[in-house]
Amino acid sequence: KKVIFVTGGSQGARKFNQIVIDMVKKYKSEDFFVVIATGLKNYEETIESIKGQELDKYLRIVDYVYDMDKMYKASDLLITRAGALTVTEISIARRPAILIPLPYAAENHQLYNAKMLENAKAGIVIEESVLNEDLLYDKIISVMGDEEKLKQMGENAAKLYLPNVEERIYKEIKDIVKGE
């Protein structure tokens, strides 16, 4: 099975965690396995929402992932928010993504980050206001059902990576401090 990794960042994303679970319950797809990192504050509630249901074959819920780079590399598709660090990690990991920008991010920066990946054909954007289990499933199938598209999206994500970005930022800060 292909692996889909879902994360809303360290704080989690309660709404899209639940939509992913609703999708898994409804479709019970044999084509992929979903791993959700709920965030520490959403873990117990998420576990409670599936109690007594036989979903182990389709879904694994964890509170937090400490080796995010390994999780990204073990996944075939990512479903994430679109913060700057997450977008950078997606490009480093060379993974296709479905991006659900945080709707309340300052100046809507997550939507702009997500659109950058979408414009590069490395990601698909779904705004949280329209997100539901059917739309999410359709988008997953549109990517996972086409091996070439999945591969190409990952390659496109890799093209966005800027090597030595930390050094570039450091140099810019030094230049600003020096007044250059």
Side-chain angles (χ1 to χ4, degrees):
K1 285 186 179 183
K2 295 206 180 304
V3 174
I4 298 172
F5 177 55
V6 180
T7 179
S10 60
Q11 299 300 308
R14 185 177 182 204
K15 181 176 179 180
F16 82 72
N17 286 346
Q18 192 56 54
I19 289 171
V20 170
I21 289 170
D22 291 344
M23 178 201 67
V24 169
K25 288 178 187 177
K26 182 173 184 175
Y27 291 100
K28 295 183 178 171
S29 177
E30 297 288 337
D31 298 325
F32 54 82
F33 185 82
V34 178
V35 177
I36 301 177
T38 63
L40 298 173
K41 69 180 183 177
N42 297 312
Y43 180 73
E44 293 299 327
E45 178 183 349
T46 306
I47 289 293
E48 195 62 35
S49 76
I50 65 162
K51 204 170 194 176
Q53 300 179 46
E54 299 295 322
L55 297 175
D56 292 351
K57 185 174 166 181
Y58 312 103
L59 175 69
R60 178 164 183 227
I61 298 172
V62 299
D63 58 358
Y64 193 80
V65 173
Y66 293 92
D67 292 323
M68 191 63 80
D69 58 329
K70 290 178 184 171
M71 189 67 229
Y72 280 166
K73 288 179 182 173
S75 303
D76 297 288
L77 178 67
L78 309 174
I79 300 175
T80 70
R81 288 293 193 199
L85 183 57
T86 300
V87 168
T88 301
E89 290 171 341
I90 289 167
S91 67
I92 291 169
R94 309 172 63 101
R95 290 297 176 259
I98 294 175
L99 302 134
I100 304 162
L102 180 67
Y104 312 109
E107 298 179 19
N108 217 9
H109 74 274
Q110 286 204 11
L111 179 61
Y112 294 111
N113 293 346
K115 290 288 186 182
M116 179 194 64
L117 279 172
E118 187 172 63
N119 291 340
K121 296 187 178 7
I124 295 169
V125 178
I126 304 175
E127 292 191 49
E128 192 170 290
S129 62
V130 298
L131 181 65
N132 64 53
E133 66 268 18
D134 299 317
L135 176 61
L136 184 59
Y137 182 77
D138 289 345
K139 296 296 183 186
I140 289 169
I141 294 303
S142 77
V143 175
M144 300 287 268
D146 183 343
E147 195 65 40
E148 187 55 38
K149 182 176 184 178
L150 194 66
K151 180 181 173 197
Q152 190 61 55
M153 286 176 73
E155 289 173 6
N156 292 342
K159 291 175 187 173
L160 297 173
Y161 175 64
L162 296 173
N164 305 317
V165 72
E166 303 87 356
E167 291 171 25
R168 292 177 187 188
I169 292 169
Y170 178 68
K171 182 187 177 312
E172 288 296 320
I173 292 171
K174 273 183 26 185
D175 291 348
I176 289 169
V177 170
K178 288 181 182 177
E180 295 179 5

PDB file of all heavy atoms in Angstrom, residues 13-20 81 128-131:
ATOM      1  N   ALA A  13      -4.000  19.880  13.676  1.00  0.00           N
ATOM      2  CA  ALA A  13      -5.062  20.565  12.942  1.00  0.00           C
ATOM      3  C   ALA A  13      -6.338  19.758  13.144  1.00  0.00           C
ATOM      4  O   ALA A  13      -6.642  18.847  12.380  1.00  0.00           O
ATOM      5  CB  ALA A  13      -4.705  20.679  11.476  1.00  0.00           C
ATOM      6  N   ARG A  14      -7.047  20.079  14.183  1.00  0.00           N
ATOM      7  CA  ARG A  14      -8.211  19.304  14.623  1.00  0.00           C
ATOM      8  C   ARG A  14      -9.213  19.061  13.504  1.00  0.00           C
ATOM      9  O   ARG A  14      -9.663  17.938  13.303  1.00  0.00           O
ATOM     10  CB  ARG A  14      -8.864  20.049  15.773  1.00  0.00           C
ATOM     11  CG  ARG A  14      -9.994  19.349  16.406  1.00  0.00           C
ATOM     12  CD  ARG A  14     -10.487  20.178  17.564  1.00  0.00           C
ATOM     13  NE  ARG A  14     -11.553  19.520  18.255  1.00  0.00           N
ATOM     14  CZ  ARG A  14     -12.434  20.166  18.966  1.00  0.00           C
ATOM     15  NH1 ARG A  14     -12.362  21.474  19.082  1.00  0.00           N
ATOM     16  NH2 ARG A  14     -13.390  19.503  19.562  1.00  0.00           N
ATOM     17  N   LYS A  15      -9.568  20.113  12.769  1.00  0.00           N
ATOM     18  CA  LYS A  15     -10.594  19.971  11.735  1.00  0.00           C
ATOM     19  C   LYS A  15     -10.152  19.015  10.634  1.00  0.00           C
ATOM     20  O   LYS A  15     -10.881  18.115  10.253  1.00  0.00           O
ATOM     21  CB  LYS A  15     -10.957  21.325  11.134  1.00  0.00           C
ATOM     22  CG  LYS A  15     -12.039  21.215  10.075  1.00  0.00           C
ATOM     23  CD  LYS A  15     -12.474  22.547   9.527  1.00  0.00           C
ATOM     24  CE  LYS A  15     -13.541  22.338   8.449  1.00  0.00           C
ATOM     25  NZ  LYS A  15     -13.989  23.604   7.891  1.00  0.00           N
ATOM     26  N   PHE A  16      -8.943  19.205  10.090  1.00  0.00           N
ATOM     27  CA  PHE A  16      -8.611  18.293   9.003  1.00  0.00           C
ATOM     28  C   PHE A  16      -8.215  16.914   9.480  1.00  0.00           C
ATOM     29  O   PHE A  16      -8.360  15.941   8.747  1.00  0.00           O
ATOM     30  CB  PHE A  16      -7.758  18.912   7.904  1.00  0.00           C
ATOM     31  CG  PHE A  16      -6.285  19.023   8.038  1.00  0.00           C
ATOM     32  CD1 PHE A  16      -5.478  17.920   7.949  1.00  0.00           C
ATOM     33  CD2 PHE A  16      -5.702  20.266   8.150  1.00  0.00           C
ATOM     34  CE1 PHE A  16      -4.116  18.039   7.980  1.00  0.00           C
ATOM     35  CE2 PHE A  16      -4.335  20.393   8.188  1.00  0.00           C
ATOM     36  CZ  PHE A  16      -3.534  19.287   8.116  1.00  0.00           C
ATOM     37  N   ASN A  17      -7.791  16.755  10.746  1.00  0.00           N
ATOM     38  CA  ASN A  17      -7.629  15.407  11.301  1.00  0.00           C
ATOM     39  C   ASN A  17      -8.965  14.666  11.214  1.00  0.00           C
ATOM     40  O   ASN A  17      -9.033  13.513  10.783  1.00  0.00           O
ATOM     41  CB  ASN A  17      -7.211  15.448  12.776  1.00  0.00           C
ATOM     42  CG  ASN A  17      -5.774  15.860  12.985  1.00  0.00           C
ATOM     43  OD1 ASN A  17      -4.971  15.887  12.065  1.00  0.00           O
ATOM     44  ND2 ASN A  17      -5.458  16.190  14.226  1.00  0.00           N
ATOM     45  N   GLN A  18     -10.037  15.332  11.648  1.00  0.00           N
ATOM     46  CA  GLN A  18     -11.356  14.693  11.668  1.00  0.00           C
ATOM     47  C   GLN A  18     -11.856  14.397  10.254  1.00  0.00           C
ATOM     48  O   GLN A  18     -12.453  13.346  10.015  1.00  0.00           O
ATOM     49  CB  GLN A  18     -12.374  15.552  12.422  1.00  0.00           C
ATOM     50  CG  GLN A  18     -13.660  14.803  12.709  1.00  0.00           C
ATOM     51  CD  GLN A  18     -13.440  13.502  13.475  1.00  0.00           C
ATOM     52  OE1 GLN A  18     -12.814  13.493  14.538  1.00  0.00           O
ATOM     53  NE2 GLN A  18     -13.925  12.391  12.948  1.00  0.00           N
ATOM     54  N   ILE A  19     -11.600  15.295   9.335  1.00  0.00           N
ATOM     55  CA  ILE A  19     -12.029  15.054   7.955  1.00  0.00           C
ATOM     56  C   ILE A  19     -11.288  13.861   7.358  1.00  0.00           C
ATOM     57  O   ILE A  19     -11.882  13.039   6.662  1.00  0.00           O
ATOM     58  CB  ILE A  19     -11.880  16.329   7.100  1.00  0.00           C
ATOM     59  CG1 ILE A  19     -12.948  17.349   7.542  1.00  0.00           C
ATOM     60  CG2 ILE A  19     -11.980  16.022   5.608  1.00  0.00           C
ATOM     61  CD1 ILE A  19     -12.810  18.727   6.953  1.00  0.00           C
ATOM     62  N   VAL A  20     -10.002  13.743   7.660  1.00  0.00           N
ATOM     63  CA  VAL A  20      -9.239  12.587   7.176  1.00  0.00           C
ATOM     64  C   VAL A  20      -9.818  11.305   7.770  1.00  0.00           C
ATOM     65  O   VAL A  20     -10.020  10.308   7.054  1.00  0.00           O
ATOM     66  CB  VAL A  20      -7.738  12.728   7.498  1.00  0.00           C
ATOM     67  CG1 VAL A  20      -6.997  11.436   7.213  1.00  0.00           C
ATOM     68  CG2 VAL A  20      -7.118  13.879   6.699  1.00  0.00           C
ATOM     69  N   ARG A  81      -0.332  21.424   6.410  1.00  0.00           N
ATOM     70  CA  ARG A  81      -0.515  22.860   6.368  1.00  0.00           C
ATOM     71  C   ARG A  81       0.529  23.388   5.382  1.00  0.00           C
ATOM     72  O   ARG A  81       1.217  22.612   4.723  1.00  0.00           O
ATOM     73  CB  ARG A  81      -0.312  23.471   7.762  1.00  0.00           C
ATOM     74  CG  ARG A  81      -1.429  23.167   8.739  1.00  0.00           C
ATOM     75  CD  ARG A  81      -2.713  23.823   8.329  1.00  0.00           C
ATOM     76  NE  ARG A  81      -3.707  23.782   9.408  1.00  0.00           N
ATOM     77  CZ  ARG A  81      -4.975  23.950   9.203  1.00  0.00           C
ATOM     78  NH1 ARG A  81      -5.442  24.162   7.992  1.00  0.00           N
ATOM     79  NH2 ARG A  81      -5.823  23.918  10.207  1.00  0.00           N
ATOM     80  N   GLU A 128      -9.414  25.209   3.601  1.00  0.00           N
ATOM     81  CA  GLU A 128     -10.133  24.532   4.684  1.00  0.00           C
ATOM     82  C   GLU A 128     -11.635  24.784   4.634  1.00  0.00           C
ATOM     83  O   GLU A 128     -12.432  23.922   4.998  1.00  0.00           O
ATOM     84  CB  GLU A 128      -9.566  24.961   6.036  1.00  0.00           C
ATOM     85  CG  GLU A 128     -10.061  24.102   7.168  1.00  0.00           C
ATOM     86  CD  GLU A 128      -9.323  24.350   8.459  1.00  0.00           C
ATOM     87  OE1 GLU A 128      -8.138  23.986   8.541  1.00  0.00           O
ATOM     88  OE2 GLU A 128      -9.950  24.901   9.381  1.00  0.00           O
ATOM     89  N   SER A 129     -12.035  25.941   4.147  1.00  0.00           N
ATOM     90  CA  SER A 129     -13.463  26.291   4.097  1.00  0.00           C
ATOM     91  C   SER A 129     -14.269  25.369   3.181  1.00  0.00           C
ATOM     92  O   SER A 129     -15.479  25.240   3.349  1.00  0.00           O
ATOM     93  CB  SER A 129     -13.638  27.746   3.653  1.00  0.00           C
ATOM     94  OG  SER A 129     -13.118  27.932   2.354  1.00  0.00           O
ATOM     95  N   VAL A 130     -13.613  24.710   2.225  1.00  0.00           N
ATOM     96  CA  VAL A 130     -14.323  23.807   1.315  1.00  0.00           C
ATOM     97  C   VAL A 130     -13.940  22.337   1.524  1.00  0.00           C
ATOM     98  O   VAL A 130     -14.462  21.455   0.857  1.00  0.00           O
ATOM     99  CB  VAL A 130     -14.101  24.196  -0.172  1.00  0.00           C
ATOM    100  CG1 VAL A 130     -14.632  25.581  -0.451  1.00  0.00           C
ATOM    101  CG2 VAL A 130     -12.642  24.058  -0.581  1.00  0.00           C
ATOM    102  N   LEU A 131     -13.035  22.092   2.461  1.00  0.00           N
ATOM    103  CA  LEU A 131     -12.539  20.741   2.699  1.00  0.00           C
ATOM    104  C   LEU A 131     -13.631  19.832   3.248  1.00  0.00           C
ATOM    105  O   LEU A 131     -14.336  20.182   4.176  1.00  0.00           O
ATOM    106  CB  LEU A 131     -11.368  20.791   3.692  1.00  0.00           C
ATOM    107  CG  LEU A 131     -10.708  19.462   4.027  1.00  0.00           C
ATOM    108  CD1 LEU A 131     -10.027  18.860   2.806  1.00  0.00           C
ATOM    109  CD2 LEU A 131      -9.694  19.677   5.159  1.00  0.00           C
TER     110      LEU A 131
END
